[in-house]
Amino acid sequence: MSSEAGPDTGARPDGALLRLIHQLLVVRTSGKLADHQRGYPRWELANAELRSLLEAGVGGVILLGGSAAELALRCAQLGRWAGQPLLLCADVEEGVGQRFDGATWLVPPLALGRLYGREPERALALAERYGRCTGREARALGLNWVLGPVCDVNNNPANPVINVRAWGEDPATAGALATAFLRGVQAEGVLSCAKHFPGHGDTSSDSHLTLPLLAHSRERLAAIELPPFQQAIAAGVASVMTAHLMLPALDGERPATLSKPVLTGLLRRELGFEGLIVTDALVMDAITGRYGAGEAAVLALEAGADLVLMPADAGAAIGAIAAALQGGRLDREQLEASAERRRRALAGLGAGAPGASGVPGASQPDPEAAAQPDQALALELVRATLEASPGGERPSQPGVNLIRLDSALAAPFLPATAPAVAKPEAQGWRTVLVEGRSPSPWSGLAEAPLALERLGPGPVLLQLFVRGNPFRGSANSAEPWPAALRQLAACGRLAGLVVYGSPYLWDQLQPLLPPGVAGVYSPGQMPLAQAEALARLGMGEDGGQNIFTT
């Protein structure tokens, strides 16, 4: 592991230098107000430390968790503590409601990628409205920087970390839709961010857990990975986020996030990007497993990054950057240029920009402006991207509502009142939850993997919540759902199938549905998507036309 700091000159950095260093850090905190409410205390700073860093000049905060109303209060609080214009951002790739309850939660971007293949003009219009909705609600709640769009081309179905977060599986689709989204976001006066440069789509490992390798040639990168970023840059994207992955064709020594050939050589010089370059979170294991918190921050700035996102230890990062400046390893003029890019980005938002709370004359977040989520757009997106395989007669009797999800403890889409549970139960179905590879429903047999005696009698409705998610380690579960589908069909117990999230699982299972058994695919997993999918199966009074014959 590399050393934490540069050489110790013995001199204490002056106040202006320390403030410059602080401006280049973006730290993480909870969207909730109290320390005990933090969902991830390992990564989210406590209020005392956060306030101290903001008062010292830290330039940005990334937020996660809480309701929309809480977020508005939190952003105003952070602005007061900072007393200066502040970058306030969130990973709201699927609308602000993906992270903050009460705002609009939209289908994942890849849903529009599939629609683009059938109705390109409609998909482009929806992508721009998607961006406008996200930008409008972000601004109303105090955020001024949306960490999206994902510009990665998800041409590897086994990708565990990008997957449905991408806008397309080919460069043309991904570039067109991501650019439409960012135009919508920035039209609402909010910064957008193209990520993860130079392209994280064709990986089969998760950079939250390990350092992926992308062993493609420079020519292949230029043909597949780079075009969406080039389109985003041409469209005026405000910022670009780096990828934690090795690209030997560009740099055989360091990951892209810490690579001068990638950030300065390729992104700045060859592609001509003049906006903000921000690292992906340096706390991720792809970086922390190889570099200390201080050394990672120094290497990122040395490579050409402007902003250091989520260093594993903010104090260590600040100390290491200061030592590197004093020792001549980092150039002060370069860091001042980064601070100037940050200043220009904030200035471009206007005097009443969100995130400027605490500055005389600045506007405050307005939670009432986002209190009514855009349910019309959310519903239109769900219905436009739903896919169905018609079936036969509705089951004459209720049976088992078998729901598969990663973990009941980490499933914000499945509260107790979620339609996936409540609607079948209202018609007499009994719910059985399967968490990942939990042993309860499995027999251990390859041809008959479900232990049907444990499920109990009656027809079985399969509802499978599967999608690529960071920290999962794999995009497609190794669970034997194709064999389970055949098993249930063979004994006449398969009542219907709903796949939420993964188009790859749906494409695998849909051809296996026997005649007379209905199936539905919904890219979205949120309750609104559940209600629509089940309505298509004839379970619920709301939503679209059901696909059972009556």
Side-chain angles (χ1 to χ4, degrees):
M1 182 174 290
S2 303
S3 62
E4 281 293 283
D8 183 2
T9 65
R12 182 174 178 79
D14 62 71
L17 181 62
L18 277 175
R19 196 157 189 88
L20 170 64
I21 295 168
H22 279 76
Q23 283 183 49
L24 307 183
L25 265 62
V26 180
V27 297
R28 175 166 161 175
T29 193
S30 170
K32 299 180 180 181
L33 294 173
D35 284 344
H36 73 272
Q37 294 178 293
R38 290 177 294 166
Y40 304 90
R42 174 187 166 199
W43 291 349
E44 294 168 354
L45 297 181
N47 282 330
E49 183 180 2
L50 178 63
R51 182 168 188 170
S52 176
L53 286 168
L54 289 173
E55 290 174 347
V58 156
V61 179
I62 178 172
L63 297 106
L64 175 65
S67 68
E70 286 175 303
L71 175 65
L73 293 172
R74 184 63 151 168
C75 287
Q77 178 190 61
L78 298 177
R80 290 193 300 271
W81 287 352
Q84 65 165 342
L86 187 65
L87 287 169
L88 293 171
C89 62
D91 273 312
V92 287
E93 299 163 1
E94 298 173 24
V96 178
Q98 178 193 14
R99 304 294 188 190
F100 304 98
D101 294 340
T104 308
W105 191 354
L106 304 172
V107 297
L110 195 59
L112 284 175
R114 284 173 77 94
L115 181 65
Y116 185 84
R118 306 188 297 270
E119 301 178 66
E121 293 304 318
R122 184 184 185 192
L124 285 169
L126 285 170
E128 186 161 349
R129 289 171 59 197
Y130 194 127
R132 279 191 169 272
C133 172
T134 304
R136 181 173 60 252
E137 293 187 7
R139 182 181 174 92
L141 298 175
L143 301 172
N144 55 20
W145 189 17
V146 166
L147 298 183
V150 169
C151 285
D152 306 310
V153 178
N154 196 74
N155 60 349
N156 185 346
N159 193 319
V161 64
I162 302 302
N163 206 257
V164 296
R165 299 165 62 197
W167 288 90
E169 298 168 302
D170 63 83
T173 302
L177 293 173
T179 300
F181 171 85
L182 77 86
R183 281 199 304 264
V185 169
Q186 295 192 169
E188 296 293 337
V190 174
L191 305 175
S192 66
C193 182
K195 61 188 189 184
H196 306 79
F197 186 83
H200 207 318
D202 194 12
T203 58
S204 56
S205 57
D206 183 355
S207 51
H208 293 83
L209 305 172
T210 187
L211 182 63
L213 172 68
L214 199 61
H216 295 314
S217 68
R218 181 67 169 77
E219 292 73 22
R220 151 60 199 252
L221 295 171
I224 303 295
E225 278 73 23
L226 295 182
F229 291 97
Q230 291 172 295
Q231 284 186 252
I233 292 167
V237 69
S239 62
V240 170
M241 180 180 286
T242 68
H244 298 334
L245 69 158
M246 290 297 300
L247 296 124
L250 301 177
D251 188 333
E253 182 181 352
R254 290 179 182 155
T257 289
L258 311 179
S259 169
K260 191 166 187 174
V262 173
L263 303 190
T264 299
L266 177 58
L267 182 54
R268 282 274 185 240
R269 294 176 184 159
E270 291 188 43
L271 301 187
F273 179 62
E274 297 178 354
L276 280 169
I277 299 177
V278 59
T279 71
D280 202 347
L282 292 187
V283 75
M284 291 161 60
D285 284 350
I287 301 300
T288 58
R290 290 160 177 79
Y291 306 92
E295 177 68 3
V298 171
L299 286 171
L301 295 175
E302 205 172 28
D306 297 307
L307 298 174
V308 172
L309 177 67
M310 286 178 63
D313 182 326
I318 292 164
I321 295 167
L325 279 164
Q326 291 178 299
R329 183 177 169 191
L330 285 174
D331 178 62
R332 183 165 181 164
E333 287 186 4
Q334 178 187 332
L335 300 196
E336 287 175 341
S338 292
E340 175 61 18
R341 289 189 191 96
R342 175 187 170 277
R343 188 200 65 76
R344 286 201 306 264
L346 281 165
L349 295 171
S357 305
V359 179
S363 66
Q364 297 289 327
D366 180 13
E368 291 188 8
Q372 297 299 319
D374 194 343
Q375 287 295 94
L377 175 61
L379 182 59
E380 184 178 354
L381 284 165
V382 166
R383 289 180 173 174
T385 59
L386 202 77
E387 300 177 28
S389 177
E393 295 184 0
R394 187 181 309 171
S396 60
Q397 61 178 1
V400 179
N401 176 29
L402 184 58
I403 298 177
R404 183 263 178 232
L405 65 165
D406 288 338
S407 169
L409 297 177
F413 52 82
L414 203 71
T417 56
V421 175
K423 288 189 177 295
E425 286 187 350
Q427 298 184 19
W429 294 72
R430 60 188 182 280
T431 298
V432 175
L433 293 180
V434 184
E435 296 189 19
R437 285 305 305 262
S438 58
S440 56
W442 304 112
S443 68
L445 302 176
E447 295 302 315
L450 288 175
L452 296 180
E453 69 281 359
R454 296 178 193 163
L455 295 179
V460 177
L461 169 65
L462 286 182
Q463 297 194 73
L464 308 179
F465 290 85
V466 175
R467 58 170 282 175
N469 279 312
F471 300 103
R472 274 266 308 279
S474 64
N476 291 315
S477 170
E479 300 147 33
W481 290 113
L485 207 69
R486 293 189 186 97
Q487 176 189 6
L488 290 170
C491 63
R493 292 189 58 182
L494 182 61
L497 168 71
V498 188
V499 175
Y500 301 99
S502 172
Y504 307 113
L505 183 62
W506 168 249
D507 289 343
Q508 183 182 22
L509 296 183
Q510 189 271 338
L512 303 180
L513 288 170
V517 177
V520 176
Y521 166 62
S522 171
Q525 295 185 325
M526 70 289 281
L528 177 65
Q530 297 167 32
E532 286 297 306
L534 289 171
R536 295 296 296 274
L537 287 177
M539 291 189 177
E541 65 285 354
D542 302 317
Q545 179 182 3
N546 81 69
I547 58 176
F548 282 113
T549 57
T550 56

